[in-house]
Amino acid sequence: MTQVAFLDNLLREYLVFRGFSSTLKALDLEQRTEKDQHFRAERVLEQFQNAIQAYDLQALRSLWLHLDNNLFSKLEHTYAVAVKKLENSLLKYYLVTAYSNNRHDKVSEFFTKMAGELQQHSEWKDWFYFPFCRNAEESPTFALFFTKQWQDTLLLSLQNFLTTVYQCLPQPSFVRAEQEAAHMQRLSDDNAGLRTRLLHLQQELHQMSQQQSGTGAVSGSSLNADAGARRRSVYRPQQSLSDILPFDISPPGHIVDDFCIIASEANSVSQASDAQARGLKQLIRNIGSGGSPVMGRKDQAAGSVGEKSNKRRSGSVGRSWI
């Protein structure tokens, strides 16, 4: 109740600032006559009936368009068929009321303004004959809409639908203005408290760092000396080869030079290779001269045998001679 009164004062202040005196008077009048501060579907239904009884098609369409844009469009798509059916029924109720009161001019005006929109719907195909129909209340097509039962059912269905929709929809932004302001103030207070706490923590850290720097000044010199010693031990000056002194090691009793051994082995190997080369050269020379070492040995053996046989013959002859 207090929130609604607060918003009414804000609205009255805004109307005074803008100079909307007529609107302000209407607001004051309605506030004095109202009994309930909350929404009532009967008020919207009453506005629809007033527009229909006054044959004000523009007011009827404006009110429905406002509800459609701000309320019905926020519903689930499953309610679209019900919303469209209620709209068409409300327009038919307007036509039936105008026809019953012999306001054929308003009926013709309705189709003149709404023909472009209604001809796209098959539900309105038979209703284009309505301005030319005599005794429409007796026609099988339109008789149902003239009955009081159908009209009362339409108004009751519309009232129940609006009541249900208003209960499910969230409050408008203008109604939540006070709540949003209180929420922003609460956030500002929380931010201020966090900033103060952060400042105290920073001061404590600064004091602790100063205490640590004071106690560490004495031990800092010894730490610096140790660090200097470590640096001196690590970073020693580099020495040249001329600065390195040889070790004083006594030589062994017998000196064996490995290079000498290798040289002697090389000489023996070279001598063997020279001898082998000379043998090969001799063999090649013998082959080139037409002789053979094997055949030469055979010839030598045969010659020695012949000499022995000759000696034998000569001896035998001599012996025979003797």
Side-chain angles (χ1 to χ4, degrees), residues 207-220:
Q207 292 177 359
M208 292 176 61
S209 62
Q210 288 181 351
Q211 293 177 359
Q212 291 178 359
S213 62
T215 55
V218 178
S219 59

Side-chain angles (χ1 to χ4, degrees), residues 119-162:
Q119 67 182 357
Q120 300 177 3
H121 303 281
S122 59
E123 183 179 355
W124 287 90
K125 181 177 63 174
D126 297 334
W127 280 86
F128 284 97
Y129 174 68
F130 184 77
F132 311 100
C133 181
R134 295 181 179 180
N135 300 325
E137 63 276 5
E138 298 177 0
S139 173
T141 306
F142 311 112
L144 176 64
F145 303 99
F146 285 90
T147 61
K148 183 175 178 56
Q149 182 180 0
W150 181 86
Q151 297 177 3
D152 293 340
T153 304
L154 170 62
L155 297 177
L156 182 60
S157 300
L158 184 58
Q159 179 180 348
N160 294 335
F161 182 75
L162 291 175

Side-chain angles (χ1 to χ4, degrees), residues 79-93:
Y79 295 98
V81 177
V83 172
K84 193 63 178 177
K85 186 175 182 180
L86 286 174
E87 181 184 5
N88 292 330
S89 299
L90 198 62
L91 295 176
K92 292 176 182 179
Y93 180 50

Side-chain angles (χ1 to χ4, degrees), residues 236-256:
R236 294 179 178 177
Q238 296 181 357
Q239 296 180 354
S240 61
L241 294 177
S242 61
D243 297 334
I244 301 175
L245 298 177
F247 295 99
D248 188 7
I249 301 175
S250 58
H254 60 279
I255 301 175
V256 179

Side-chain angles (χ1 to χ4, degrees), residues 10 25 48 55 76 85 99 112 117 123 141 167 179 222 286 308-309 311 322:
L10 290 180
K25 291 179 182 180
F48 278 122
Y55 313 109
E76 296 182 0
K85 186 175 182 180
Y99 186 89
T112 301
E117 180 180 350
E123 183 179 355
T141 306
Q167 290 178 354
Q179 299 177 357
S222 58
N286 293 333
K308 290 180 180 180
S309 61
K311 289 179 179 180
I322 294 174

Side-chain angles (χ1 to χ4, degrees), residues 127-303:
W127 280 86
F128 284 97
Y129 174 68
F130 184 77
F132 311 100
C133 181
R134 295 181 179 180
N135 300 325
E137 63 276 5
E138 298 177 0
S139 173
T141 306
F142 311 112
L144 176 64
F145 303 99
F146 285 90
T147 61
K148 183 175 178 56
Q149 182 180 0
W150 181 86
Q151 297 177 3
D152 293 340
T153 304
L154 170 62
L155 297 177
L156 182 60
S157 300
L158 184 58
Q159 179 180 348
N160 294 335
F161 182 75
L162 291 175
T163 303
T164 305
V165 169
Y166 268 92
Q167 290 178 354
C168 298
L169 288 177
Q171 294 181 347
S173 302
F174 186 70
V175 177
R176 298 196 307 268
E178 185 179 5
Q179 299 177 357
E180 294 292 338
H183 181 65
M184 293 300 295
Q185 183 64 33
R186 185 167 57 255
L187 291 177
S188 300
D189 296 339
D190 294 341
N191 290 334
L194 291 175
R195 290 193 188 96
T196 305
R197 185 179 177 184
L198 180 60
L199 182 60
H200 290 330
L201 291 175
Q202 289 177 351
Q203 291 177 356
E204 292 178 0
L205 290 175
H206 182 66
Q207 292 177 359
M208 292 176 61
S209 62
Q210 288 181 351
Q211 293 177 359
Q212 291 178 359
S213 62
T215 55
V218 178
S219 59
S221 58
S222 58
L223 292 175
N224 292 332
D226 295 339
R230 292 193 192 95
R231 285 195 296 269
R232 286 193 297 272
S233 62
V234 174
Y235 299 101
R236 294 179 178 177
Q238 296 181 357
Q239 296 180 354
S240 61
L241 294 177
S242 61
D243 297 334
I244 301 175
L245 298 177
F247 295 99
D248 188 7
I249 301 175
S250 58
H254 60 279
I255 301 175
V256 179
D257 192 357
D258 293 337
F259 293 99
C260 180
I261 295 174
I262 295 173
S264 62
E265 291 178 355
N267 291 332
S268 62
V269 172
S270 63
Q271 291 175 1
S273 61
D274 292 341
Q276 186 177 2
R278 285 195 298 271
L280 292 174
K281 290 180 181 181
Q282 184 66 28
L283 177 61
I284 294 171
R285 188 180 300 111
N286 293 333
I287 294 173
S289 60
S292 173
V294 178
M295 295 300 296
R297 286 194 297 270
K298 291 181 178 181
D299 293 340
Q300 291 179 1

